[in-house]
Amino acid sequence: MAVSLLSHELSDLCLGKPALRSLSITSTIAEALEVLKTSDDNFVSIWNCDDDECCSRCVGKVCIVDVICYLCKDENLVSPSIALKQPVSLLLPKIPGLIIHVEPSCSLLEAIDLILEGAQNLVVPIKTTVFNNKRSKQQQKPFCWLTQEDIIRFLLSSIGLFSPISSFSIDTLNIISPNTLTIEYHSPASAAIGAISRALVEQTSVAVVDSENTLIGEISPFTLACCDETVAAALKTLSSMDLMAYIDCGGPPEELVKVVSAKLKEKNMNGMLQHFTVSMSCGGFSSSSSSDEEYSSSSMAVQVSPFPRPGRISRSMSYSARMVRRSEAIVCHPKSSLVAVMIQAIAHRVNYVWVIEEDCSLVGIVTFSDMLKVVRESFETMA
């Protein structure tokens, strides 16, 4: 069984994966935004297209969170319509190695090593079979990409091979990182913009805590990716606690919409105010309404969810369905087993799980990358 697992190639993991939706690096941010709003995926791949298709390469990826953070710059809030006409290349992080092209024959071990070296997406050509005159030949046409989540999900199907390590606690395995991105709940949400950008790159999140380091909730790129670009206005005008209520349950409460509008007007951000007002009049990013009463209870309630909740919406659904996501934090405890944390993250479609004590004080975070390090080390004894 162990030998069989180690012999897998990435082509085995690509079965059933959809072809990438792609954009040329010469496209505008507005064009990328339009694709993202109609896509089932949170990201769109950006390609450096060449006259020779064989030389085209995926050079990065963008999501709505990139657009939101970009629009949060003061000069862009003044005139978002002009800002959105700029090339999408402005959104790409300047970090090499986040996107790596690999062959379908690349081994599972090689893929894990690439991810541990910093790769987030492995771009793999999809093999298609063309039948002509009763003869078939392999043609490499579209591409798909594999993520850390894909690798973890695949490994879970053979988790028994990693016994007893899979049953060890994350504390015992020493994979709890104390290096977390945090912001106090009463602080302006704008103070978290840099942390949100970093969390997007690191595939983590920003913890919202109180003065005693109790975990209240989170401002997650995974949740923001299900909103629209006008959340930039809320990020610049609300507190962290109010922002959680704003993006919670799929749509902003009317009272917070009024607060955002008033503060935009107060700061003479007329361009964003107009953009924001038009968006809200069309229903904003919500497919459902939220009452003032819902805002009152949401903004005061603790958002931590110690156990998986079955009502959470999968991001693999349509754009309108994916918008209904909560800003609650997915948490575990230091004594939680590795396999339990892996399943919890997979179930909630996130790349990390917060670690808290019984009193909800924040201990740290466990990421897919941390989990893969343990799995990779165990491979050494299986080979």
Side-chain angles (χ1 to χ4, degrees), residues 107-170:
S107 72
L108 179 61
L109 278 177
E110 290 171 328
I112 292 175
D113 287 340
L114 287 172
I115 288 175
L116 293 180
E117 290 170 5
Q120 291 184 356
N121 296 77
L122 304 179
V123 179
V124 188
I126 298 176
K127 290 183 178 181
T128 58
T129 302
V130 177
F131 293 93
N132 183 21
N133 296 326
K134 298 183 179 181
R135 296 176 62 186
S136 66
K137 60 180 179 179
Q138 295 296 323
Q139 292 185 339
Q140 294 183 345
K141 289 186 177 180
F143 291 82
C144 69
W145 60 24
L146 295 175
T147 65
Q148 293 180 10
E149 179 184 341
D150 294 317
I151 303 294
I152 291 287
R153 188 182 297 276
F154 183 78
L155 292 172
L156 271 173
S157 65
S158 302
I159 196 64
L161 296 176
F162 302 100
S163 180
I165 291 177
S166 59
S167 62
F168 289 174
S169 72
I170 55 176

Side-chain angles (χ1 to χ4, degrees), residues 72 182-196 206-209 219 232-244 263 267:
C72 281
T182 62
I183 187 169
E184 289 200 7
Y185 74 95
H186 57 73
S187 298
S190 59
I193 293 173
I196 292 171
V206 181
V208 179
V209 299
I219 302 174
L235 256 173
K236 291 290 288 187
T237 55
L238 298 178
S239 69
S240 297
M241 194 67 174
D242 283 343
L243 179 66
M244 286 196 299
K263 290 189 176 181
K267 295 181 179 181

